[in-house]
Amino acid sequence: MPYFAKDVDAAFQGAGTKMYPFIGLEIWCVENLSLVPVPKSSHGKLFSGSVYLILNTVLLKDGMLEHDVHYWLGKDANEVESLMVSDKALELDLALGSCTVQYQEKQGQESAKFLSYFKPCIIPCEGVYTSGPERSNRGTYHITLLACKGEHAISVKEVPFSRSSLNHDDVFILDTESKVYLFSGHNSSIQERAKALEVIKYIKEEKHGGKCQVATIEDGKFVGDSDAGEFWSIFGGYAPIPRDSSSFFKKQHDVPFVKLFLITIQGKLCETSSGTFSREMLDREKCYILDCDAEVYVWMGRCTSISERKTSITATEDFLRSQGRSTRSLVMVLTEGSETPKFKSNFVGWPQTDNPKLYEEGKGKVAAIFKQQGYNIKELPEEYCQPLINCRGKLEVWGVNGDHLSIMPSEGDIKLFSGDCHIVKYTYQSSQRDESILYAWLGTASIKEDRVDAISHIINMAKSTKGTPVLAQIFEGKEPDQFFWVTQRLIVLKGGTFTRYINFIQEKGFADNTYSARSSALFRVQGSSLENMQAIQVNMGFHLRAMQYDCLCLVAGSLNSSYCYILQTEAAVFSWIGSLTLSRDHDLLDRMLELLNPAWQPKSFREGGEPDEFWSALGGKVDYPREKEIRKHIEDPHLFVCNCSEDDFKVKEIFSFTQDDLTTEDVFILDCYTEIYVWLGSQSNVQPNLQTIQFGLKYLEGDILAQGLSLETPLYMVTERHEPEFFTCFFDWDVSKSHMDGNSFERKLALLRGEKKLETPPRNSSRTYSSEYYQSGSRSKSVSSTGMPRSASPSLSGSQLASSTAIAKKLLSEQPVNHSSTVDFHKLESRNPADGADLSLVAENDDDDDANLLKYPYERLTLTSDEPVSDIDLTKREAYLSKAEFLEKFGMTTRAFYALPKWRQNKLKISLNLF
């Protein structure tokens, strides 16, 4: 316990660290003015005559423990216990190091976060909690009428069993001994009705042992319905519900401004300002109230005492009571350093506190707790992204050249240019069917018009693509790991090759810095394996970025001890190995040298052993980063439901989310910090593709979680029933649920009745190109079903392109311009021919002329041929050469060639443009 142990209740000894793996709820109840722990079997069973203290602990992906403290006040609880539990919440915060957020929860007015802990709902019990054995309460079944409200976090209240309790706005559950009835007010939403069915399922299992009937009654529609007749007979007969009947749940109204009050040591409130606030206004030796009407925050400085903090809570409760807001305002207590994003959003320019060292310390602390509990763990492992989809599919790449798409080679390495925009289409076989992803890759120096056209193209390609592809907008330098796994071997070059870029630099009189084989260039080599490696050309001298020239940037300043580099000059090629690199990085360097130019004979050296000619080629030796580059921690995901109109965009967070929260009538945003997903329900009234992109851009601009989101954050558009594995991995996913027919209510009702009705499954289109996948499982080539290389752009009508371009221009109008087919090498086995050459290939391709294969001239077999050969095995282009031409090009016989290791064969084929 910390030094202030005398101020902390002994019941909190070990709180937040007792459970494995340190996540979940710990609950205490006040009984006889003492805290007693509530067993897990009684979690969620709250008594209206008691008060509870609830601690929720989550182990975050960055290694830190996150704690939320809630104290729940039953409507019949006495005032002494209510005051006591608020003090105990402060003590628990102290025991945990003053890093919690504390919520005051009143029965019937609970926060969405609190409700999310108790799925599907809380139904408070009458009476007072006792820690002794539960008493059996058998006898006449007590009929109850419950009012339900909420589309995602549902509030449930028991209301008087009377016909007058019913209204048109809420959903009601009538629980009788033999049957449970759902009555839906005609003003209630489909989502609310669906959520109420989850409550009925809970009641059926908990109170009826799963043995009772379920009936649904719709407000105003009961003629000829036997269930409706039974329902109204329980109330003594049917009578219309008055139009002016009001909901049992109070609506929250937005207010035009907030107020900030200083709380004195005596508990007096002094208004300091209203309207605009800054972080500097909060003194760490004082306590404050930020009044947002529906939400009231108590902010306590780090240097305040526990007595001052208790005084602040009492002053806040007195303030709300004097204004008649005790039952409608949610009180949240924050200690300096634990501010929530919503609290920070009320202050202008709240400083970002992203400290990588803090995350490393967090991992160490949690590892120590594991060890303390008996687990032999030295440290938490660093997380590396692994591919979550099949990465041996079909890749097609285009360059955006106005309203035309120019096909680009997608075999071997993929070359993208910073001054251009590119479309990358990846098609792969999932566990269910064939899926595809359409990436719009936007270079940092690309022209705005090209970016607009890139978005337009992927939208129109999606319309013409079989199935419903995932759309993605990604920026150079901000690519998601999944993109690197898909492209496998990616080279990003300076400059551009298409019309708008060329015209722009000519109009401005800028020198063309587009990469060529004869130019000087510096490449940073990166990646985590041989199957997702990249060579990125870094800055050399002046460079074009965001349509303007930055100041002179010497190449040497682009070095970093965490990477390996390749320096290409007219006179020589150098490979530079950073002092902090691993053997894995050295393998990547060797393979990338072969991909860039197999004929290179580089001068290789480690950091610190550079020759003078190396520094001379870089323009002189200057300082560069020498500390280990720490991989950014992975944030825990957040799910938001969108509520949008023409002029307004609002989101509401869904806590403790599950797949069931993705209601088919809505649009959701899954914020993973490094990636943003917009999920579109199949029955939402939002136009696919166009509006979903706009929602994502608005979310990035709003930065709801105040985490400093970049507008260049990768943005995915996902449609219901076509979710990729890299989206579903954030849920406990049931594929059958995502393919059910009907709206949310109809689906939940079918599940409740055991009538799971699935949509007609889409035909698996894998047969249309399954022959393009190698027997070995490696990447297929970009060829048509006839075997001809793809050379034409996708067919787009003029009206399609014009319509999409107009919307894309609108979507990108606010974005700043200044933004900061491949093959599998079978793990590039470098075996000695004597130890394992592919003897079957040697036998098949002996010194004879391969009489079973037609022979073609070399010029027609290359990747860049103007007259390519059709109907050949694109994995073995060399096999169609005559014996004489094979010997001329490769300098060896076919027997000698096929005796080489596979990676060496591929290297030679790449150099001859045959791979």
Side-chain angles (χ1 to χ4, degrees):
M1 296 287 281
Y3 68 91
F4 43 75
K6 61 183 178 64
D7 296 323
V8 176
D9 196 302
F12 301 139
Q13 180 72 43
T17 61
K18 291 180 180 178
M19 304 169 63
Y20 175 79
F22 317 121
I23 59 174
L25 296 177
E26 295 174 72
I27 302 179
W28 298 266
C29 182
V30 176
E31 185 180 19
N32 297 324
L33 296 181
S34 297
L35 283 180
V36 295
V38 177
K40 192 172 183 179
S41 59
S42 296
H43 285 190
K45 190 175 182 180
L46 306 181
F47 287 83
S48 59
S50 298
V51 296
Y52 294 82
L53 188 63
I54 295 99
L55 169 65
N56 184 55
T57 303
V58 177
L59 175 60
L60 301 177
K61 290 185 177 180
D62 60 20
M64 305 293 285
L65 290 174
E66 180 182 84
H67 305 287
D68 287 298
V69 176
H70 304 256
Y71 50 102
W72 186 85
L73 311 177
K75 63 181 179 63
D76 300 323
N78 66 61
E79 187 175 348
V80 175
E81 290 182 343
S82 298
L83 291 173
M84 173 185 170
V85 77
S86 65
D87 289 344
K88 292 300 178 182
L90 285 173
E91 292 179 22
L92 179 55
D93 174 60
L94 280 173
L96 295 168
S98 295
C99 62
T100 74
V101 179
Q102 301 156 58
Y103 301 80
Q104 184 191 81
E105 310 283 355
K106 297 184 176 68
Q107 181 177 341
Q109 299 294 326
E110 295 89 353
S111 66
K113 191 164 195 173
F114 181 77
L115 292 173
S116 73
Y117 303 147
F118 307 98
K119 297 288 182 77
C121 64
I122 298 172
I123 304 178
C125 307
E126 294 295 324
V128 178
Y129 172 81
T130 57
S131 54
E134 290 190 25
R135 296 180 181 178
S136 176
N137 188 21
R138 295 184 178 180
T140 304
Y141 194 86
H142 177 59
I143 296 177
T144 55
L145 182 64
L146 304 172
C148 305
K149 193 73 172 178
E151 297 182 346
H152 298 282
I154 190 166
S155 295
V156 180
K157 288 183 180 180
E158 184 175 353
V159 297
F161 173 45
S162 168
R163 182 171 42 218
S164 60
S165 293
L166 303 176
N167 62 57
H168 299 295
D169 297 322
D170 299 329
V171 180
F172 293 85
I173 295 172
L174 179 63
D175 179 20
T176 70
E177 186 171 10
S178 60
K179 187 179 284 190
V180 180
Y181 299 85
L182 176 70
F183 176 85
S184 303
H186 65 71
N187 293 334
S188 62
S189 68
I190 291 173
Q191 297 94 317
E192 286 180 310
R193 300 176 187 189
K195 205 68 181 174
L197 285 175
E198 293 183 15
V199 179
I200 287 182
K201 181 182 178 183
Y202 171 77
I203 292 173
K204 180 180 177 179
E205 293 173 352
E206 293 295 318
K207 297 183 68 176
H208 298 270
K211 298 177 181 179
C212 72
Q213 294 180 303
V214 175
T216 58
I217 316 297
E218 191 168 348
D219 186 8
K221 297 181 181 180
F222 58 89
V223 177
D225 188 335
S226 60
D227 287 333
E230 290 178 4
F231 175 79
W232 289 112
S233 67
I234 297 173
F235 290 98
Y238 171 74
I241 300 172
R243 289 186 178 181
D244 58 353
S245 59
S246 59
S247 170
F248 279 94
F249 302 90
K250 297 179 181 180
K251 295 182 179 179
Q252 300 290 350
H253 300 282
D254 292 333
V255 291
F257 60 87
V258 295
K259 296 180 179 179
L260 183 65
F261 297 90
L262 168 67
I263 306 175
T264 66
I265 298 177
Q266 294 77 24
K268 303 295 182 181
L269 271 60
C270 303
E271 184 173 350
T272 60
S273 178
S274 61
T276 304
F277 312 115
S278 65
R279 171 63 181 86
E280 290 71 24
M281 298 173 68
L282 302 176
D283 188 336
R284 66 185 315 173
E285 295 183 351
K286 295 181 173 59
C287 297
Y288 298 82
I289 292 177
L290 183 70
D291 183 7
C292 304
D293 189 57
E295 295 175 333
V296 176
Y297 298 90
V298 181
W299 186 90
M300 305 178 299
R302 276 277 175 186
C303 297
T304 54
S305 66
I306 187 154
S307 60
E308 290 176 302
R309 298 181 184 189
K310 290 180 178 180
T311 298
S312 299
I313 301 298
T314 303
T316 302
E317 292 171 347
D318 291 341
F319 168 68
L320 295 177
R321 195 178 300 112
S322 67
Q323 295 196 345
R325 294 164 51 191
S326 295
T327 58
R328 70 177 178 87
S329 294
L330 172 65
V331 178
M332 285 171 280
V333 183
L334 312 167
T335 306
E336 180 185 356
S338 62
E339 298 86 356
T340 64
K342 202 165 184 180
F343 175 83
K344 294 178 185 177
S345 67
N346 292 286
F347 294 79
V348 177
W350 189 282
Q352 296 292 322
T353 56
D354 189 4
N355 184 359
K357 291 184 178 179
L358 185 63
Y359 306 126
E360 295 300 314
E361 291 173 6
K363 287 184 178 183
K365 289 177 181 178
V366 173
I369 296 173
F370 269 99
K371 190 172 182 180
Q372 209 173 42
Q373 300 294 322
Y375 299 95
N376 187 20
I377 294 177
K378 293 182 179 179
E379 58 182 16
L380 293 183
E382 185 175 356
E383 293 187 44
Y384 287 100
C385 175
Q386 295 297 321
L388 294 171
I389 60 173
N390 172 13
C391 290
R392 303 188 187 282
K394 174 183 173 184
L395 195 70
E396 298 168 270
V397 183
W398 294 270
V400 177
N401 199 6
D403 58 1
H404 177 68
L405 290 182
S406 300
I407 191 72
M408 302 185 70
S410 56
E411 303 173 4
D413 53 82
I414 307 298
K415 291 185 174 67
L416 306 180
F417 288 84
S418 294
D420 297 331
C421 293
H422 297 271
I423 304 297
V424 177
K425 180 181 180 182
Y426 179 62
T427 309
Y428 63 98
Q429 289 179 314
S430 72
S431 58
Q432 299 296 314
R433 56 188 161 215
D434 294 336
E435 301 286 5
S436 56
I437 309 172
L438 284 166
Y439 294 96
W441 184 90
L442 312 179
T444 54
S446 59
I447 310 301
K448 181 179 178 180
E449 289 77 10
D450 280 342
R451 298 182 179 189
V452 170
D453 283 340
I455 300 298
S456 302
H457 282 303
I458 63 169
I459 289 171
N460 285 298
M461 289 173 74
K463 293 177 182 177
S464 60
T465 299
K466 190 171 184 178
T468 307
V470 174
L471 303 185
Q473 173 189 280
I474 60 176
F475 286 87
E476 178 192 350
K478 298 284 186 177
E479 298 92 344
D481 288 337
Q482 191 71 56
F483 182 73
F484 292 142
W485 282 107
V486 164
T487 54
Q488 295 192 351
R489 290 160 183 83
L490 176 65
I491 299 173
V492 179
L493 303 169
K494 292 292 181 184
T497 60
F498 294 116
T499 305
R500 282 183 177 140
Y501 177 85
I502 294 172
N503 290 343
F504 176 82
I505 62 173
Q506 288 177 350
E507 290 172 5
K508 298 296 183 180
F510 296 155
D512 187 1
N513 67 343
T514 301
Y515 173 81
S516 70
R518 295 179 298 275
S519 60
S520 296
L522 180 66
F523 295 92
R524 181 181 70 245
V525 179
Q526 61 188 41
S528 61
S529 81
L530 296 173
E531 295 180 346
N532 72 336
M533 58 182 183
Q534 307 91 48
I536 312 297
Q537 186 180 354
V538 295
N539 298 328
M540 178 173 242
F542 284 111
H543 68 285
L544 184 64
R545 182 183 171 113
M547 312 310 128
Q548 297 178 354
Y549 278 110
D550 288 344
C551 59
L552 185 63
C553 178
L554 291 176
V555 175
S558 297
L559 296 175
N560 187 308
S561 299
S562 297
Y563 296 100
C564 296
Y565 290 81
I566 299 170
L567 175 60
Q568 169 192 343
T569 69
E570 293 184 9
V573 175
F574 304 92
S575 62
W576 185 86
I577 301 172
S579 60
L580 300 177
T581 56
L582 307 174
S583 59
R584 175 196 67 196
D585 303 312
H586 308 161
D587 292 339
L588 297 181
L589 176 64
D590 293 339
R591 299 308 181 208
M592 194 55 74
L593 279 165
E594 295 170 1
L595 287 175
L596 287 171
N597 191 333
W600 277 349
Q601 297 295 325
K603 299 178 182 179
S604 181
F605 42 81
R606 291 183 175 272
E607 180 179 1
E610 303 88 350
D612 291 340
E613 59 180 322
F614 174 79
W615 294 120
S616 177
L618 292 179
K621 188 174 182 179
V622 297
D623 289 334
Y624 57 86
R626 298 174 186 269
E627 294 182 359
K628 181 180 179 182
E629 190 166 280
I630 300 175
R631 184 180 175 89
K632 192 169 182 63
H633 74 284
I634 301 174
E635 293 279 353
D636 286 66
H638 296 261
L639 183 68
F640 297 87
V641 62
C642 300
N643 182 11
C644 309
S645 61
E646 290 186 4
D647 303 319
D648 196 16
F649 175 78
K650 293 181 179 179
V651 295
K652 182 178 181 180
E653 184 164 5
I654 309 300
F655 299 99
S656 306
F657 61 84
T658 67
Q659 179 186 357
D660 290 335
D661 289 307
L662 297 175
T663 43
T664 185
E665 298 82 13
D666 293 315
V667 178
F668 290 83
I669 290 177
L670 183 67
D671 181 352
C672 303
Y673 186 59
T674 56
E675 298 171 354
I676 304 295
Y677 298 85
V678 183
W679 182 91
L680 178 65
S682 60
Q683 296 199 27
S684 69
N685 58 2
V686 174
Q687 184 179 355
N689 301 331
L690 301 175
Q691 282 184 280
T692 50
I693 294 176
Q694 189 175 28
F695 284 0
L697 295 177
K698 285 184 175 180
Y699 180 83
L700 288 175
E701 291 170 2
D703 193 12
I704 306 299
L705 294 176
Q707 54 190 343
L709 273 181
S710 167
L711 293 178
E712 300 173 356
T713 303
L715 182 61
Y716 291 92
M717 280 63 71
V718 177
T719 14
E720 185 179 11
R721 298 175 178 169
H722 292 273
E723 298 89 351
E725 286 87 345
F726 53 91
F727 174 82
T728 59
C729 68
F730 296 104
F731 303 82
D732 186 8
W733 197 260
D734 182 345
V735 175
S736 64
K737 285 184 179 180
S738 64
H739 288 284
M740 290 188 70
D741 275 329
N743 59 37
S744 299
F745 176 75
E746 292 166 341
R747 295 180 188 184
K748 291 282 176 64
L749 186 59
L751 289 171
L752 185 59
R753 291 175 172 171
E755 305 169 352
K756 187 184 290 187
K757 296 180 179 179
L758 301 180
E759 65 160 349
T760 303
R763 290 183 62 188
N764 192 317
S765 57
S766 61
R767 296 291 181 268
T768 61
Y769 65 83
S770 59
S771 61
E772 297 175 21
Y773 289 85
Y774 300 157
Q775 293 293 326
S776 63
S778 59
R779 177 72 53 72
S780 69
K781 304 296 187 289
S782 298
V783 295
S784 66
S785 57
T786 63
M788 290 290 291
R790 300 187 185 274
S791 57
S793 301
S795 174
L796 300 177
S797 69
S799 60
Q800 276 184 320
L801 184 61
S803 171
S804 296
T805 301
I807 296 178
K809 284 182 179 178
K810 180 180 179 182
L811 296 183
L812 292 173
S813 61
E814 300 301 323
Q815 289 196 30
V817 181
N818 184 7
H819 301 288
S820 40
S821 84
T822 53
V823 292
D824 177 44
F825 281 80
H826 302 288
K827 298 185 179 178
L828 297 174
E829 298 175 0
S830 54
R831 296 174 297 178
N832 187 304
D835 294 333
D838 195 335
L839 299 180
S840 63
L841 283 177
V842 174
E844 179 185 342
N845 298 277
D846 213 337
D847 281 342
D848 64 298
D849 279 343
D850 288 323
N852 293 332
L853 295 178
L854 294 174
K855 301 303 173 185
Y856 298 97
Y858 168 77
E859 289 74 17
R860 294 194 61 193
L861 292 170
T862 63
L863 295 173
T864 56
S865 174
D866 295 328
E867 190 183 356
V869 181
S870 61
D871 299 323
I872 64 172
D873 184 348
L874 299 181
T875 70
K876 294 169 55 180
R877 294 174 185 267
E878 76 286 351
Y880 297 90
L881 291 170
S882 67
K883 178 180 179 181
E885 197 161 22
F886 189 101
L887 185 61
E888 176 192 345
K889 297 298 182 183
F890 285 91
M892 66 182 74
T893 64
T894 54
R895 174 183 288 275
F897 174 77
Y898 288 114
L900 294 173
K902 176 69 73 173
W903 71 266
R904 184 61 180 167
Q905 294 176 27
N906 291 335
K907 174 181 173 181
L908 291 171
K909 286 160 67 174
I910 289 171
S911 67
L912 293 170
N913 232 354
L914 293 172
F915 192 78

